[in-house]
Amino acid sequence: MEQTHSTAIADTVWTNVNLITGELADQGLVTAKNQSVVVKDGRIMAIFDQSSGAALPQAERIIDGEGGWLSPGLIDCHTHLVFAGNRADEFEQRLEGVPYETIAKQGGGILSTVIATRSASEEALLKLALPRLDALIAEGVTTVEIKSGYGLTLNDELKILRVAKQLANHRPINISTTLLAAHAVPPEFKGKADQYIDLVCNEIIPQAAEQQLADAVDVFCEGIGFSPAQSEKVMQAAKACGLGVKAHVEQLSNLSGAALTAKYQGWSADHLEYLDEAGVKALAESNTAAVLLPGAFYFLREQQLPPIDLLRKYQVPMALATDFNPGTSPLASIRLMMNMGCTLFRMTPSEVIAAVTANGAKALKMEESRGIIKEGMAADMVLWDIQHLAELAYQFGPQVIKQRMVNGQITGSGAHV
Ligand code: NIG
Ligand code: FE
């Protein structure tokens, strides 16, 4: 399958590939048959239509795609991958009928993970996060967003972000980090949420920015999280420090958190089951991505569906992510999310592919560099062993990856990456 050449000008040339560009047009995904893709210095240098007869540049490595489909590397744009402990006990309680919100109010939920995470060292957290990340990598993920949010002190939040960034030293992966100090009111601030928000805005956000540990800031705007007024302070502090704005909104109720996120030109508004038309319009106007999280919807056995038709109507970019976390989505499979995007949310296979490529990149403000196969973009690509594009959403489990490339480096195939 591979040949090598000595007088090289390009690093890698993929030949005989059918491209899934990642972009979505009116007719569905933009694709192109019989293409060659030239990679140099970690970027896509050129794309040739093979029928043009143009001579390919010489390269260190030629990979014959044998007519397979080449897509952008998948992007999981919303995870809580770094934490200790698990919440299988709460899973059992919920199966017996205790609601998620009741468990949270009784000091379980997010706070039980906070206790376990605070007492874990960076080494321990790294060790716990690696197999979770490996599960995503084995499915073709090349970029992962990781949130803090299980520390809720300055030191513990920064500890989680440091671990998240370190993962890129251990695996071939791009990591985007998000500070989610406003995830829950920590036990020592019980009844003093406003004071905790002051700490988040005056110390934790500025420190995370100064130490370059976070690309964005997130907030859980919800009855069991923070009010819109508190959330707005967090967004203002994020902006003041030059960080992106993201928010968990409209998951369990409608507090108009999406419109608030849009007001601060948020990168994304996430969950959105209770989003209304005014919120959809606000997202469209601010070009904020809608991140849909079918894993949490499924795992909490929610009934309220996100307004997919309205998001389509107003052309809000829809992304999908695992929301991997111990409480509401212990599901480290982006392919499962693609399947659920179709079966639970009635998205099309084309929409779910765009949702984990081009639109995932939008949710991380990476659309200028990742998520699409185009000249000048980072060379993050996956060669799939599939005949039909819908196969990517249709099945999960058996791995159908032939090759995975991250920033121009081939990182192996199948589960052994
Ligand atoms: O995205 N909604 C808030 N945060 C997580 C849940 C965290 C947890 O229960 O540990 C979510 O669903
Ligand atoms: Fe989340």
Side-chain angles (χ1 to χ4, degrees):
M1 192 158 150
E2 280 180 30
Q3 305 161 30
T4 50
H5 294 265
S6 51
T7 49
I9 67 149
D11 296 330
T12 302
V13 176
W14 300 84
T15 60
N16 300 316
V17 289
N18 298 322
L19 290 187
I20 305 171
T21 64
E23 282 177 292
L24 198 58
D26 288 345
Q27 292 76 26
L29 276 176
V30 180
T31 59
K33 293 254 172 112
N34 301 320
Q35 305 288 303
S36 298
V37 181
V38 181
V39 174
K40 171 116 177 116
D41 297 333
R43 309 210 149 262
I44 297 170
M45 192 170 99
I47 300 174
F48 293 96
D49 189 326
Q50 283 177 187
S51 64
S52 72
L56 290 173
Q58 289 196 320
E60 289 283 350
R61 177 204 299 264
I62 293 180
I63 304 176
D64 184 348
E66 297 169 340
W69 286 98
L70 187 71
S71 80
L74 306 189
I75 296 177
D76 189 353
C77 67
H78 179 144
T79 83
H80 309 246
L81 203 76
V82 177
F83 61 86
N86 76 61
R87 308 233 294 274
D89 52 342
E90 290 178 12
F91 176 52
E92 274 193 306
Q93 269 182 280
R94 284 199 301 103
L95 291 175
E96 284 157 16
V98 187
Y100 177 65
E101 282 145 302
T102 307
I103 294 172
K105 282 186 191 135
Q106 288 167 350
I110 293 172
L111 292 184
S112 68
T113 303
V114 168
I115 291 164
T117 305
R118 283 182 178 176
S119 60
S121 66
E122 287 190 33
E123 295 68 39
L125 288 172
L126 185 75
K127 217 170 152 195
L128 288 165
L130 280 169
R132 300 168 188 154
L133 180 61
D134 285 340
L136 297 175
I137 287 174
E139 291 192 328
V141 171
T142 54
T143 298
V144 180
E145 184 260 16
I146 301 176
K147 301 175 195 298
S148 63
Y150 293 118
L152 312 184
T153 66
L154 172 66
N155 287 341
D156 290 305
E157 286 293 300
L158 299 188
K159 171 177 81 175
I160 295 168
L161 294 175
R162 275 194 301 273
V163 172
K165 283 181 101 72
Q166 273 171 38
L167 288 165
N169 301 332
H170 295 266
R171 294 292 185 273
I173 188 88
N174 306 301
I175 305 274
S176 176
T177 49
T178 302
L179 175 72
L180 178 57
H183 195 195
V185 180
E188 56 283 8
F189 280 86
K190 198 165 183 216
K192 297 185 284 189
D194 283 324
Q195 284 179 35
Y196 179 60
I197 287 296
D198 286 343
L199 175 76
V200 170
C201 294
N202 300 334
E203 284 188 42
I204 307 184
I205 293 173
Q207 275 298 319
E210 162 135 5
Q211 298 183 33
Q212 298 187 354
L213 287 172
D215 302 303
V217 171
D218 198 335
V219 51
F220 185 23
C221 180
E222 190 60 67
I224 57 167
F226 295 93
S227 69
Q230 292 162 340
S231 302
E232 183 157 17
K233 284 190 178 168
V234 172
M235 293 176 187
Q236 286 168 342
K239 284 286 222 192
C241 291
L243 300 177
V245 167
K246 298 170 83 68
H248 286 67
V249 293
E250 273 75 280
Q251 180 186 13
L252 307 167
S253 62
N254 183 359
L255 300 182
S256 300
L260 186 64
T261 313
K263 182 175 165 190
Y264 291 92
Q265 298 84 44
W267 291 0
S268 71
D270 302 38
H271 283 291
L272 303 174
E273 280 81 348
Y274 287 82
L275 182 66
D276 59 17
E277 188 158 1
V280 175
K281 273 192 202 166
L283 293 180
E285 279 159 18
S286 63
N287 201 24
T288 299
V291 176
L292 305 169
L293 305 168
F297 172 88
Y298 154 85
F299 197 71
L300 292 178
R301 296 190 297 165
E302 293 290 335
Q303 302 291 324
Q304 172 91 14
L305 284 163
I308 302 292
D309 284 341
L310 285 173
L311 291 166
R312 270 190 200 119
K313 179 173 158 197
Y314 289 94
Q315 296 183 319
V316 177
M318 290 187 277
L320 277 173
T322 60
D323 193 15
F324 183 80
N325 78 71
T328 66
S329 189
L331 309 166
S333 171
I334 196 76
R335 297 282 305 284
L336 176 58
M337 299 308 130
M338 294 167 77
N339 179 273
M340 287 179 171
C342 296
T343 55
L344 299 179
F345 291 175
R346 293 287 179 235
M347 294 167 75
T348 65
S350 290
E351 282 174 334
V352 302
I353 293 171
V356 297
T357 53
N359 292 347
K362 285 185 186 155
L364 301 178
K365 268 290 169 274
M366 287 182 173
E367 66 265 38
E368 302 292 323
S369 57
R370 303 187 194 280
I372 289 183
I373 297 185
K374 180 168 101 175
E375 257 178 58
M377 304 292 264
D380 293 347
M381 291 177 275
V382 178
L383 181 66
W384 302 96
D385 188 10
I386 56 169
Q387 306 303 312
H388 192 288
L389 293 191
E391 281 178 61
L392 292 180
Y394 157 75
Q395 63 167 351
F396 82 102
Q399 292 308 338
V400 288
I401 294 176
K402 283 187 172 171
Q403 295 283 4
R404 174 178 175 275
M405 173 177 269
V406 180
N407 296 312
Q409 302 295 315
I410 287 286
T411 66
S413 58
H416 306 288
V417 285

